[in-house]
């Protein structure tokens, strides 16, 4: 247990539905990252926050995806109108400033039917 | 795109040293070399990082060549629990700390 929690751990949804995932980072960490990982591939960077500010978004993050970190603590990642290609593991990580060590949560596995 | 090249898979006997190579020939002067690993069905786990000098911690040693174009992660006494995918990543602080993962090396530690 790294201290980063993600909920739910598994989500099965039908194509076209909206889903929301939550990440609770280590409490004193001001940086929070979202990654996506498909089977057999390494994680891909999606976006990151410093406190409540979203500082960078990957081109992978289409307009159906939105992430928030309203009070600089927990974060949510919402996917609207899900597609089968969204099926993946969604990983959250946190760190203190830009230090090298990111602590990853266990991930949320999304399956879109 | 990832800036590193790693062999897709390696085997190691339990109790022996595991030496995982990584090529990063285009690394720039301010980029660090980071190693993470991912055990099946878990999130990635930080192992070690370095800039120029060799580094050692309780988990592993990192050997970086003098020209910094390659490095080796050494697990001195591999156990079955070290079976995982190992990722070598280069990054600098100007990239906001985001990690660009490649395919990694799948290490299998065998009894």
């Amino acid at each position: 247990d790294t201290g980063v929690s993600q909920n739910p751990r598994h989500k099965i949804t039908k194509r076209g539905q909206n889903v929301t995932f939550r990440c609770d980072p280590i409490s004193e960490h001001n940086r929070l990252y979202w990654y996506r990982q498909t089977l057999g591939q390494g994680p891909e960077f999606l976006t990151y926050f410093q406190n409540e500010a979203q500082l960078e978004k990957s081109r992978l993050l289409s307009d159906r995806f939105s992430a928030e970190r309203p009070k600089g603590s927990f974060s949510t990642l919402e996917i609207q109108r899900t597609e089968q290609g969204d099926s993946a593991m969604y990983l959250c990580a946190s760190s203190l400033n830009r230090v090298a060590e990111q602590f990853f949560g266990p991930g949320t596995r999304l399956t879109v039917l | 795109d990832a800036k590193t090249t790693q062999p897709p898979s390696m085997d190691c006997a339990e109790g022996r040293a595991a030496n995982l190579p990584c090529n990063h020939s285009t690394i720039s002067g301010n980029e660090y070399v980071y190693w993470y690993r991912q055990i099946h069905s878990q999130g990635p786990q930080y192992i070690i990082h370095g800039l120029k000098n060799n580094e050692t911690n309780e988990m592993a040693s990192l050997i970086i060549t003098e020209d910094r174009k390659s490095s080796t992660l050494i697990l001195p006494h591999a156990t079955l629990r070290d079976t995982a995918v190992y990722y070598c990543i280069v990054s600098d602080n100007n990239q906001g700390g985001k990690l660009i993962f490649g395919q990694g090396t799948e290490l299998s530690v065998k009894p």
Side-chain angles (χ1 to χ4, degrees):
Chain A
D1 184 1
T2 63
V4 178
S5 61
Q6 293 188 245
N7 288 287
R9 294 291 308 277
H10 303 274
K11 178 71 176 179
I12 300 174
T13 191
K14 293 182 179 179
R15 188 175 52 188
Q17 298 294 305
N18 300 342
V19 294
T20 300
F21 310 140
R22 175 175 171 130
C23 171
D24 287 88
I26 293 172
S27 59
E28 64 267 27
H29 285 183
N30 57 348
R31 290 222 164 193
L32 187 147
Y33 303 81
W34 284 99
Y35 296 83
R36 180 176 69 185
Q37 186 173 26
T38 54
L39 201 61
Q41 303 296 315
E44 298 172 293
F45 168 78
L46 293 178
T47 187
Y48 84 93
F49 295 82
Q50 178 164 308
N51 300 314
E52 65 275 12
Q54 188 174 17
L55 296 187
E56 186 175 348
K57 292 192 293 186
S58 164
R59 57 181 169 77
L60 295 174
L61 215 63
S62 75
D63 56 7
R64 296 186 297 105
F65 288 70
S66 63
E68 294 183 343
R69 194 182 182 199
K71 297 182 180 179
S73 57
F74 73 92
S75 175
T76 59
L77 177 68
E78 181 184 15
I79 308 174
Q80 296 182 328
R81 305 181 304 280
T82 53
E83 302 172 357
Q84 287 184 326
D86 297 331
S87 294
M89 175 75 81
Y90 289 84
L91 294 160
C92 172
S94 70
S95 70
L96 187 60
N97 298 321
R98 290 183 292 189
V99 297
E101 187 173 4
Q102 291 185 18
F103 292 82
F104 282 79
T108 294
R109 181 166 296 284
L110 173 67
T111 301
V112 182
L113 302 177
Chain B
D1 291 343
K3 298 181 181 180
T4 62
T5 304
Q6 299 176 253
S9 64
M10 291 182 64
D11 290 340
C12 178
E14 188 178 18
R16 304 296 293 270
N19 297 280
L20 292 92
C22 179
N23 183 294
H24 33 80
S25 58
T26 61
I27 193 170
S28 61
N30 58 345
E31 287 184 315
Y32 289 76
V33 180
Y34 304 139
W35 283 83
Y36 281 74
R37 73 179 183 183
Q38 188 172 25
I39 295 171
H40 183 61
S41 297
Q42 297 182 20
Q45 176 191 22
Y46 167 84
I47 301 173
I48 199 168
H49 77 282
L51 182 63
K52 296 181 182 178
N53 299 322
N54 298 336
E55 302 287 345
T56 294
N57 63 20
E58 66 278 4
M59 288 184 68
S61 295
L62 173 60
I63 308 298
I64 302 174
T65 58
E66 192 169 344
D67 63 7
R68 303 209 322 124
K69 292 184 177 182
S70 65
S71 60
T72 301
L73 179 75
I74 302 172
L75 307 178
H77 304 288
T79 71
L80 299 179
R81 288 177 294 181
D82 292 321
T83 292
V85 178
Y86 288 76
Y87 296 99
C88 170
I89 301 165
V90 297
S91 184
D92 65 26
N93 285 339
N94 293 325
Q95 296 180 25
K98 70 183 181 187
L99 301 172
I100 306 299
F101 291 80
Q103 301 277 43
T105 295
E106 186 167 8
L107 175 69
S108 296
V109 181
K110 300 182 183 300

